[in-house]
C-alpha cells in the first residue's frame, strides 16, 4: 500500500471499489427485478445483499475525500477536480443508457423508459423528486444515479467543514459533525414524528451519514491517528449501521465491509489481497461500470427466453457483464482520463500564472536566498 496521503492511487481501495461494484451488479442482475428475469430471484439468493455495495462505496468515498482534502485545496480546485471525476463519464454513460433503453424493446425497457427531461436530474446530481414536483420531469435516466446526488451533498458538506475547521483538523471534526447531526435529528424524529421535514432529511443524507463518517475516520487511521477517539467514532458508525440492518445477513455483510476497510486503514498484510491486479484494475473502471450496468444489463437479460438451464442464465449474465466491462474501459480511457488531465492542465496553468504575477524578490532577499 502506498504511504502518501495525496496524489497516488491506493490499489487496495481500488480492490474495494471492485468488490462494491460487483456486489451491486449481482444485486441488479439477480434480485432487483425478478419480474423481468426469466429465471426469477431464486438463481442467486445471496445476491440480495449486493445492494450493500452502495454502503461500501459511501465508506470508500469518505476515505478518499479525506485524503483529497489533506492538502487544503482551494474551493475552485476541489470543485473542478470532483466535477472532472464525475460529470463527463456520467454524461456519456447516460446518453448510452438512454439510447439502449429506447432502442431495445422489452418489457423492462418499456417500463423504465423516460423522456429527455430525465437528463435534468441526472446531469445536475440533484433530486429527481424536485424536478418531478416542480416541472413534471421524468426521473433519472438510470435509477442508480440517486447515489451520485448523495455523494455531491457529502462533498459540499465536507468542503464546508474542511474550510471552517482549523487546518489539518478535518478528519477529527467531520465525523463528529456527521454523527451528531444524524443522532440529533433522529432523536427529534423519535420524540416528535414528522417534525423534521423529509426534504431536510434527504438534503443532509442522514440515512448514510454514519458511512461517510466511518470512511473519514478510517482515513485518519491510515494517516497515523490511532487513538481511542478513532476507535470510538468507528464503533459509533458501525453501531448505527447495525441498528439499520433488517436481518443477520446484512449485519454480517456490514461487519465484513468495516473489517475490510479497517484492514486497509491499519495497513494490515491481509489487505494486500485487495491489491490483486485484476481486482484493482476493475476498481479503476468501477465508476463507468456502475453507471452502465443496470438498465442496459437488465434490458438485455430480460430478452432471454424462459426454461433454460440455470448455468445458461449465469453464463449470459457473465457475458453481459463482460460487455459492460469493455464499454466501461473505453469510457475510462476516452472520457474519464482526458477530462481529468484537462482539468489538471487548467489548474497547473492557473498556478503558473499566479506565480508569474508574484513580485520578484528584492536584492537583499535574493542575496539571502529568500
Amino acid at each position: 500500500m502506498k504511504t502518501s496521503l495525496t496524489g497516488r492511487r491506493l490499489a487496495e481501495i481500488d480492490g474495494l471499489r471492485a468488490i462494491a461494484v460487483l456486489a451491486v451488479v449481482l444485486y441488479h442482475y439477480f434480485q432487483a427485478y425478478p419480474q423481468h428475469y426469466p429465471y426469477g430471484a431464486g438463481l442467486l439468493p445471496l445476491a440480495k445483499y449486493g445492494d450493500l455495495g452502495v454502503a461500501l462505496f459511501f465508506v470508500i468515498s469518505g476515505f478518499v475525500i479525506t485524503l483529497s482534502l489533506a492538502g487544503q485545496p482551494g474551493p475552485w480546485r476541489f470543485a473542478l477536480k470532483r466535477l472532472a471525476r464525475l460529470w463527463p463519464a456520467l454524461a456519456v454513460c447516460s446518453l448510452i443508457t438512454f439510447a439502449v433503453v429506447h432502442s431495445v424493446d422489452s418489457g423492462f425497457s418499456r417500463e423504465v423508459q423516460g423522456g429527455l427531461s430525465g437528463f435534468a436530474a441526472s446531469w445536475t446530481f440533484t433530486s429527481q423528486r424536485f424536478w418531478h414536483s416542480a416541472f413534471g420531469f421524468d426521473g433519472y435516466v438510470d435509477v442508480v444515479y440517486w447515489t451520485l446526488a448523495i455523494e455531491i451533498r457529502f462533498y459540499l458538506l465536507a468542503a464546508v467543514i474542511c474550510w471552517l475547521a482549523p487546518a489539518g483538523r478535518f478528519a477529527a471534526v467531520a465525523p463528529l459533525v456527521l454523527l451528531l447531526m444524524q443522532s440529533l435529528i433522529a432523536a427529534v424524529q423519535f420524540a416528535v414524528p414528522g417534525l423534521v421535514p423529509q426534504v431536510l432529511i434527504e438534503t443532509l443524507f442522514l440515512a448514510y451519514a454514519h458511512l461517510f463518517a466511518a470512511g473519514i475516520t478510517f482515513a485518519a487511521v491510515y494517516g497515523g491517528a490511532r487513538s481511542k477517539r478513532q476507535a470510538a467514532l468507528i464503533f459509533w458508525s458501525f453501531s448505527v449501521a447495525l441498528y439499520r440492518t433488517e436481518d443477520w445477513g446484512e449485519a454480517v455483510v456490514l461487519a465484513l465491509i468495516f473489517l475490510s476497510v479497517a484492514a486497509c486503514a491499519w495497513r494490515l498484510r491481509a489487505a494486500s489481497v485487495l491489491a490483486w491486479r485484476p481486482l484493482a484494475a476493475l476498481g479503476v473502471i468501477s465508476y463507468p461500470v456502475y453507471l452502465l450496468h443496470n438498465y442496459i444489463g437488465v434490458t438485455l437479460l430480460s430478452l432471454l427466453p424462459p426454461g433454460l438451464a440455470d448455468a445458461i442464465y449465469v453464463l449470459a449474465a457473465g457475458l453481459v457483464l463482460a460487455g459492460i466491462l469493455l464499454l466501461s474501459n473505453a469510457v475510462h480511457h476516452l472520457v474519464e482520463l482526458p477530462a481529468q488531465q484537462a482539468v489538471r492542465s487548467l489548474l497547473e496553468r492557473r498556478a503558473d500564472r499566479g506565480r508569474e504575477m508574484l513580485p520578484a524578490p528584492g536584492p537583499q532577499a535574493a542575496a539571502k536566498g529568500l
Side-chain angles (χ1 to χ4, degrees), residues 75-91:
W76 172 254
R77 173 179 290 271
F78 178 75
L80 267 185
K81 292 184 77 171
R82 288 295 95 198
L83 189 64
R85 172 76 177 90
L86 296 179
W87 196 85
L90 171 64

Side-chain angles (χ1 to χ4, degrees), residues 156-338:
L156 291 173
L157 182 57
V160 170
I161 294 172
C162 178
W163 294 313
L164 290 180
R169 296 288 293 169
F170 171 79
V173 174
L176 201 56
V177 170
L178 290 169
L179 292 170
L180 286 175
M181 176 182 70
Q182 184 185 56
S183 299
L184 177 62
I185 295 184
V188 172
Q189 278 287 83
F190 179 80
V192 188
L195 180 63
V196 181
Q198 185 63 30
V199 66
L200 178 62
I201 294 174
E202 293 182 3
T203 301
L204 296 178
F205 53 90
L206 295 176
Y208 314 101
H210 58 289
L211 300 172
F212 293 111
I216 295 168
T217 308
F218 280 129
V221 171
Y222 178 75
R226 302 180 182 184
S227 67
K228 293 180 181 178
R229 179 191 182 93
Q230 281 71 45
L233 289 170
I234 291 170
F235 178 78
W236 187 350
S237 301
F238 183 61
S239 298
V240 175
L242 282 184
Y243 176 77
R244 298 178 65 86
T245 58
E246 297 180 358
D247 58 46
W248 282 103
E250 285 192 10
V252 170
V253 173
L254 281 167
L256 290 174
I257 287 173
F258 273 70
L259 287 172
S260 298
V261 183
C264 296
W266 267 273
R267 309 180 190 232
L268 302 182
R269 182 168 297 182
S272 62
V273 68
L274 295 170
W276 182 46
R277 185 169 297 179
L279 196 64
L282 173 56
V284 171
I285 63 169
S286 59
Y287 181 52
V289 172
Y290 180 79
L291 296 175
L292 291 167
H293 81 277
N294 187 34
Y295 279 3
I296 294 176
V298 178
T299 293
L300 297 177
L301 291 173
S302 68
L303 297 174
L304 294 171
L308 300 179
D310 289 351
I312 299 296
Y313 290 130
V314 173
L315 176 62
L319 291 175
V320 169
L321 177 57
I324 294 294
L325 294 179
L326 290 174
L327 183 57
S328 300
N329 190 59
V331 170
H332 176 67
H333 285 92
L334 299 177
V335 179
E336 280 193 291
L337 292 181

Side-chain angles (χ1 to χ4, degrees), residues 336-347:
E336 280 193 291
L337 292 181
Q340 292 171 29
Q341 181 57 49
V343 167
R344 280 195 296 269
S345 299
L346 172 63
L347 293 173

Side-chain angles (χ1 to χ4, degrees), residues 15-75:
L16 287 174
R17 285 191 178 103
I19 292 172
V21 79
L22 286 175
V24 173
V25 169
L26 289 175
Y27 172 71
H28 286 138
Y29 286 5
F30 292 98
Q31 290 292 317
Y33 310 101
Q35 70 275 24
H36 292 292
Y37 313 134
Y39 44 84
L43 191 56
L44 198 61
L46 287 179
K48 69 180 182 179
Y49 298 116
D51 63 334
L52 290 174
V54 171
L56 177 53
F57 272 129
F58 287 159
V59 175
I60 292 170
S61 183
F63 189 105
V64 172
I65 286 300
T66 304
L67 302 189
S68 299
L69 292 172
Q72 291 279 327

